[in-house]
Amino acid sequence: MTPFSLEGRRALVTGANTGIGQAIAISLAAQGAQVTCAGRRDCAQTIAAIRDAGGEAEGLRLDLADPMAGQGVFEGQGYSILVNNAGIIRREDSLDFTEADWDAVMDVNLKALFFTTQAFARAALEGGTTPAAVVNIASLLSFQGGIRVPSYTASKHGVAGLTKILANEWAAKGINVNAIAPGYIATNNTEALRADGARNAAILERIPAGRWGEPHDIGATAAFLCSPAARYIHGAVLNVDGGWLAR
Ligand code: NAP
């Protein structure tokens, strides 16, 4: 086995039906993990892609609009990998931003992430499935302010903070907690930006790599962070952004 192998590991990925979550599920399975593809919708496409490649996957309905939905999912199930990928964004001027848009984004992106991770860690420690790994999907807006997305920026700054505190508390217990801050990745989330010629050109002009990221760029990084090769990495928020933040 290479230090990058995930053979014998059981993993759960939230929001695994599409985009970055789908690519993460496929990358973990390609390294040998048995992957639970969790989504508020059916993850059939992801499961089929994994099985077609010879991997192991199953689906689970999990709607994280209820931040406590992950309770009871992990106990006694042998999970040693959790990827918190599910996320939403709401755009509006901060002067007009509503409480509903604040709560919806904070519930999925931050509160559900914390309580799902708590349930996972309790089960891993009680069940002895350590070493274990948590990977949170953060954002460039874990570092930058953005514009017209106040709850998204607050939530993603929060994801970076939670990544660090949970790493502090759990590193010695055998749980690695890290995050990935994706740059501009070609998914449903960013379709409108790519369709806007002027915005698309401005974004590409600033990315040293000269291209949008692909979901598998994030998938491969997540697989690495869950593997024995990353065992001494704790509390990192790793930019996978084609160099955007280096500019
Ligand atoms: P996406 O294609 O819109 O995927 C978002 C995923 O989250 C979908 O699977 C979505 O399910 C799921 N989700 C949303 N609300 C949910 C809920 N209540 N319960 C369970 N799952 C829910 O966008 P993406 O770009 O792949 O985003 C994935 C993550 O990367 C997010 O955390 C996002 O903030 C982050 N990110 C993306 C970029 C980028 O450039 N694309 C950059 C930085 C960070 P449905 O399909 O059912 O809506």
Side-chain angles (χ1 to χ4, degrees):
M1 269 209 280
T2 77
F4 301 98
S5 173
L6 302 177
E7 291 288 342
R9 308 279 299 275
R10 189 163 192 215
L12 186 143
V13 181
T14 67
N17 58 307
T18 185
I20 290 172
Q22 180 175 66
I24 291 170
I26 291 170
S27 291
L28 298 184
Q31 292 305 319
Q34 185 191 340
V35 181
T36 299
C37 302
R40 63 178 164 175
R41 285 190 274 180
D42 187 63
C43 293
Q45 200 189 22
T46 310
I47 294 167
I50 290 172
R51 290 182 181 161
D52 287 351
E56 282 185 80
E58 61 181 6
L60 176 73
R61 288 295 173 103
L62 196 59
D63 186 344
L64 296 167
D66 170 5
M68 306 310 279
Q71 307 305 301
V73 166
F74 301 101
E75 280 116 320
Q77 299 302 311
Y79 286 102
S80 68
I81 292 172
L82 169 66
V83 181
N84 289 304
N85 162 78
I88 57 173
I89 192 164
R90 299 279 167 87
R91 297 175 198 278
E92 184 55 88
D93 291 346
S94 289
L95 286 174
D96 299 323
F97 210 78
T98 64
E99 186 180 7
D101 280 345
W102 179 269
D103 287 345
V105 171
M106 294 298 266
D107 278 355
V108 175
N109 294 12
L110 194 59
K111 188 171 177 182
L113 180 145
F114 176 76
F115 284 104
T116 304
T117 305
Q118 182 192 62
F120 166 82
R122 285 175 173 167
L125 294 173
E126 279 162 21
T129 55
T130 53
V134 176
V135 175
N136 297 323
I137 302 304
S139 167
L140 295 176
L141 298 189
S142 297
F143 304 103
Q144 301 181 303
I147 192 162
R148 303 186 72 246
V149 288
S151 58
Y152 186 82
T153 299
S155 71
K156 293 297 186 177
H157 272 65
V159 169
L162 283 180
T163 299
K164 294 170 197 168
I165 184 178
L166 296 178
N168 292 342
E169 293 193 25
W170 298 344
K173 299 183 190 294
I175 303 178
N176 291 71
V177 184
N178 291 293
I180 297 170
Y184 284 86
I185 311 297
T187 65
N188 298 337
N189 204 331
T190 53
E191 205 172 320
L193 287 178
R194 279 174 287 125
D196 177 337
R199 281 300 300 277
N200 189 37
I203 287 166
L204 280 176
E205 194 277 326
R206 206 203 128 131
I207 300 174
R211 66 167 176 89
W212 281 75
E214 296 295 333
H216 69 78
D217 291 317
I218 308 304
T221 308
F224 162 66
L225 285 174
C226 294
S227 76
R231 196 115 304 148
Y232 200 57
I233 304 178
H234 293 278
V237 185
L238 188 54
N239 315 326
V240 182
D241 63 355
W244 174 278
L245 284 176
R247 284 291 289 271

